[in-house]
């Protein structure tokens, strides 16, 4: 997959790649923030954003790498909310990660996440699985605890044969031990991101909603509450999906952002910058983001 990138550079296309969506050990990835900065630099990315779920705790380490790498490092976050019967993910880019209001808001979400996780453990125990909180925390020694860590604990305890199996039989959405996270509204999430100086971008539209969901009208509504971009490039998209979301962004004057959603070994088929191998996000997106920031 790196070969694809190498060929593109050496034949002289002066377009550089960027990646605006990655996760570290501070949420459900397996790389440190420093390693993400270094890997992006080695791959030759023009820019990379760290967008951990529900936390800004990895961002000071990440941004401190700026003096050691050529890649532009962008501080970000990914927050969930409920929208039209599905779970919508919104990425905030260029957030001020020292903003005290944002920090206390993330602490509140983390507290609710902790309560949710403990309920999941209770439900697993009620189903006869011998699991306790320590089993789970061991899997997440640095950052917050997510279902990925619960899945790993279930595998280690022999209650599941793989993380996929753990999600399928126990903790995936709609499974017997599933407990939802705090249900924020898109308006709250967009407001929190923008009040911290960030650009609010709908993450991977097309995922997390029923088949046939009409994104045109949904995105129009999201734009009216302050969304400024959408991920038109994403690891899981085929060419038709990418073209649809690029056209949707152009039609609504939203920034066509994108990212790999890199999670390290927790999603081993997804590599930084190139996703499943063919992801290619042009650096022209950066100037569009800068323009929208200057208008905010
Ligand atoms: P949480 O934020 O605790 O609800 O955990 C959700 C995270 O679990 C997502 O961000 C994904 O990274 C991961 N995830 C969701 N479904 C699966 C699955 N079927 N297999 C592996 N990881 C998953
Ligand atoms: Mn994740
Ligand atoms: Mn997401
Ligand atoms: Mn993500």
């Amino acid at each position: 997959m790196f070969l694809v990138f190498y060929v593109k550079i050496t034949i002289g296309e002066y377009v550089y790649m960027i990646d605006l969506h990655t996760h570290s050990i501070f949420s459900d990835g397996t790389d440190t923030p420093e390693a993400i900065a270094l890997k992006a630099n080695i791959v030759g990315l023009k820019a990379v954003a760290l967008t951990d779920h529900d936390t800004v705790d990895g961002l000071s380490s990440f941004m401190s790498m700026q003096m050691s790498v050529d890649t532009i490092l962008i501080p970000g976050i990914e927050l969930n909310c409920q929208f039209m019967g599905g779970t919508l993910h919104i990425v905030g880019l260029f957030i001020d990660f020292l903003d005290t209001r944002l920090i206390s808001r993330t602490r509140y979400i983390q507290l609710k996440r902790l309560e949710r996780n403990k309920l999941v453990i209770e439900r697993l125990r009620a189903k006869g699985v011998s699991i306790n909180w320590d089993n789970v925390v061991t899997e997440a020694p640095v950052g917050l605890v997510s279902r990925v860590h619960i899945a790993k604990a279930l595998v280690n305890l022999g209650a599941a044969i793989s993380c996929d199996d753990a999600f399928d039989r126990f903790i995936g959405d709609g499974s017997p031990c599933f407990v939802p996270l705090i249900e924020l509204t898109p308006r709250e999430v967009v407001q929190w991101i923008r009040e911290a100086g960030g650009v609010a971008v709908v993450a991977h539209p097309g995922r997390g909603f029923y088949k046939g969901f009409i994104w045109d009208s949904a995105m129009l509504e999201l734009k009216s509450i302050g969304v400024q971009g959408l991920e038109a490039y994403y690891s899981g998209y085929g060419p038709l999906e990418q073209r649809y979301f690029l056209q949707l962004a152009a039609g609504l004057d939203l920034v066509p952002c994108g990212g790999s959603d890199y999670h390290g070994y927790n999603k081993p088929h997804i590599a930084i910058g190139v996703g499943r191998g063919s992801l290619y996000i042009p650096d022209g997106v950066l100037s569009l983001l800068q323009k929208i920031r200057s208008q905010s």
Side-chain angles (χ1 to χ4, degrees):
M1 77 190 113
F2 291 104
L3 184 66
V4 174
F5 164 70
Y6 179 74
V7 171
K8 276 183 175 156
I9 288 300
T10 52
I11 62 175
E13 283 181 31
Y14 294 105
V15 178
Y16 294 93
M17 294 160 63
I18 61 171
D19 188 341
L20 302 176
H21 189 155
T22 69
H23 296 274
S24 78
I25 51 171
F26 282 86
S27 65
D28 55 353
T30 56
D31 282 358
T32 61
E34 290 89 342
I36 289 180
L38 290 172
K39 284 185 183 175
N41 198 48
I42 289 167
V43 171
L45 297 187
K46 175 86 175 278
V48 66
L50 177 63
T51 56
D52 274 316
H53 299 279
D54 297 352
T55 184
V56 295
D57 290 352
L59 291 173
S60 54
S61 313
F62 181 65
M63 295 308 290
S64 71
M65 291 297 289
Q66 190 62 84
M67 62 187 94
S68 313
V69 296
D70 294 326
T71 303
I72 299 165
L73 304 178
I74 300 169
I77 192 166
E78 182 174 15
L79 297 170
N80 291 5
C81 52
Q82 294 310 115
F83 177 65
M84 291 184 166
T87 300
L88 185 77
H89 294 196
I90 298 185
V91 160
L93 298 172
F94 296 101
I95 52 165
D96 174 2
F97 58 96
L98 299 176
D99 184 283
T100 49
R101 206 166 27 180
L102 179 64
I103 292 171
S104 65
R105 285 165 168 167
T106 59
R107 291 282 174 254
Y108 174 67
I109 303 175
Q110 288 159 25
L111 187 68
K112 294 290 168 190
R113 171 180 278 280
L114 184 66
E115 290 169 11
R116 187 284 299 254
N117 290 338
K118 296 214 163 161
L119 280 176
V120 173
I121 305 293
E122 270 178 38
R123 288 202 181 177
L124 286 165
R125 291 176 68 84
K127 285 253 164 242
V129 180
S130 176
I131 183 169
N132 61 42
W133 184 240
D134 285 348
N135 301 139
V136 174
V137 175
T138 315
E139 303 296 334
V142 175
L144 52 78
V145 169
S146 92
R147 280 184 287 163
V148 172
H149 306 110
I150 302 176
K152 285 182 163 182
L154 287 167
V155 173
N156 285 343
L157 292 165
I161 52 164
S162 65
C163 285
D164 278 347
D165 181 41
F167 272 92
D168 286 348
R169 287 195 297 122
F170 296 113
I171 58 172
D173 294 25
S175 301
C177 304
F178 171 72
V179 181
L181 287 166
I182 180 179
E183 298 190 346
L184 300 170
T185 64
R187 197 178 288 277
E188 282 173 305
V189 165
V190 169
Q191 183 193 345
W192 293 3
I193 288 169
R194 294 197 56 174
E195 283 181 356
V199 178
V201 174
V202 171
H204 43 72
R207 299 290 178 276
F209 286 81
Y210 59 84
K211 214 171 158 49
F213 187 89
I214 309 292
W215 280 98
D216 299 53
S217 48
M219 207 57 76
L220 192 61
E221 186 175 331
L222 290 165
K223 181 177 166 152
S224 76
I225 60 162
V227 160
Q228 297 149 294
L230 63 85
E231 286 184 341
Y233 307 89
Y234 189 66
S235 290
Y237 291 171
L240 287 180
E241 211 170 5
Q242 178 172 305
R243 196 168 63 187
Y244 170 74
F245 284 118
L246 279 172
Q247 284 173 351
L248 185 56
L252 294 178
D253 199 21
L254 292 165
V255 182
C257 297
S260 64
D261 213 355
Y262 176 73
H263 282 68
Y265 295 123
N266 283 342
K267 291 194 180 167
H269 48 289
I270 293 174
I272 216 160
V274 295
R276 290 190 163 88
S278 56
L279 186 67
Y280 191 80
I281 307 164
D283 64 348
V285 172
L286 281 183
S287 47
L288 298 175
L289 278 170
Q290 294 298 1
K291 193 168 147 211
I292 205 116
R293 284 179 77 199
S294 65
Q295 291 165 356
S296 298

